[in-house]
Amino acid sequence: MHLTELDDDPASPFPPVERALREPDGLLAWGGDLSVPRLLNAYRHGCFPWFSEGQPLLWWAPDPRMVLPSDGFHVSRSLRRFLRRSDWTLRADCRFDAVISHCADTPRRGQDGTWILPSMATAYRRMHARGHAHSVEVYDRDDCLVGGIYGIAIGRMFFGESMFSLSDNGSKVALLGLCRFLHRNAMPMLDCQMHTAHLESLGARTLPRERFIRESRALCALPGPPGSWQDGFGHVTAAGLSDSEPR
């Protein structure tokens, strides 16, 4: 099947996701750029950029899609015990640059290098400056980062991109804090892109691509929290996240 090359207009439509390749799963198009309008166009369309050093810019829409309901994070007994004893705190959009840098530098099992190339990091920092990209950060008692996550919010849909841990449970606590915030703001679904056993153990599940596209587009069209999340997220304690039910 012919792979579509995107033209220079960032507002031009992406090809229908049904044209994505089965092998490699979800490869939809190549080319274009990482401008803010192009990225917003891509996420609304149900695809995302993912490429390595030396490759052209590649766009993906895998089938099925991994998602985590914002009220569906599975807090294990061991994590709940950890949270109750923890003196960590969480904030949002306070250290986005540091979060994306740590995500880029964290070694990943089975990966040689990082997909968060300098061009990607610059693009998502631009998205953050425009109020589209957000981070949730986890801090220890000395106000040092121990974990974090970042992604893109459009309307009431959140598209997760990457997370990191500098201490055990750092990324889990960040993801849990993000889910609780999304749930409070009537944002029911977090896109996790690709299936992993780790995400599945935390409550994520797969959706057929057709259903994911339908539901995510509907959520993107609804009004969501505007601008920075700093004030809306507030100052959250990890111990406060140990409640069994989201509030």
Side-chain angles (χ1 to χ4, degrees):
M1 183 179 294
H2 175 70
L3 194 63
T4 301
E5 179 183 5
L6 301 182
D7 61 30
D8 294 334
D9 180 4
S12 62
F14 281 77
V17 293
E18 294 78 15
R19 295 186 188 173
L21 302 182
R22 297 303 304 174
E23 183 59 40
D25 180 31
L27 181 56
L28 178 66
W30 68 281
D33 57 38
L34 292 171
S35 64
V36 170
R38 178 92 66 179
L39 286 169
L40 292 175
N41 187 9
Y43 285 103
R44 289 191 180 103
H45 190 74
C47 59
F48 55 88
W50 185 32
F51 62 104
S52 301
E53 188 73 52
Q55 292 181 329
L57 178 48
L58 303 175
W59 302 89
W60 302 79
D63 186 18
R65 193 73 162 245
M66 195 75 169
V67 301
L68 176 60
S70 61
D71 63 351
F73 187 102
H74 173 64
V75 182
S76 66
R77 282 181 292 180
S78 60
L79 179 59
R80 198 180 309 281
R81 287 195 299 269
F82 174 85
L83 291 169
R84 287 170 177 164
R85 299 193 306 265
S86 177
D87 57 7
W88 289 355
T89 57
L90 295 85
R91 299 194 291 274
D93 285 348
C94 293
R95 296 188 62 187
F96 185 88
D97 284 0
V99 169
I100 199 169
S101 294
H102 282 301
C103 287
D105 293 341
T106 298
R108 312 284 178 181
R109 183 178 299 174
Q111 293 185 17
D112 182 15
T114 179
W115 61 269
I116 308 176
L117 303 174
S119 60
M120 290 280 277
T122 297
Y124 286 101
R125 287 180 174 119
R126 274 198 302 266
M127 293 281 280
H128 175 66
R130 303 278 186 92
H132 303 299
H134 303 278
S135 61
V136 171
E137 309 107 23
V138 185
Y139 301 86
D140 65 14
R141 65 190 304 172
D142 298 317
D143 211 34
C144 296
L145 276 177
V146 292
I149 187 171
Y150 80 95
I152 305 299
I154 303 177
R156 294 187 189 175
M157 180 68 199
F158 191 84
F159 301 89
E161 280 296 321
S162 189
M163 56 187 179
F164 77 94
S165 285
L166 298 181
S167 296
D168 288 348
N169 292 320
S171 62
K172 287 183 183 179
V173 174
L175 181 57
L176 175 58
L178 171 61
C179 284
R180 295 288 171 86
F181 176 80
L182 296 178
H183 181 70
R184 290 199 309 271
N185 285 274
M187 302 174 71
M189 187 164 65
L190 191 161
D191 174 32
C192 302
Q193 298 180 349
M194 308 290 285
H195 174 272
T196 69
H198 174 64
L199 288 170
E200 187 174 10
S201 73
L202 298 177
R205 55 190 174 88
T206 56
L207 286 183
R209 181 172 57 204
E210 180 181 3
R211 179 179 171 187
F212 170 80
I213 297 295
R214 182 175 67 252
E215 294 185 7
S216 65
R217 287 181 179 174
L219 291 170
C220 285
L222 297 173
S228 172
W229 285 1
Q230 282 190 27
D231 293 338
F233 190 94
H235 191 90
V236 176
T237 64
L241 296 175
S242 65
D243 296 336
S244 59
E245 298 295 335
R247 295 181 297 177

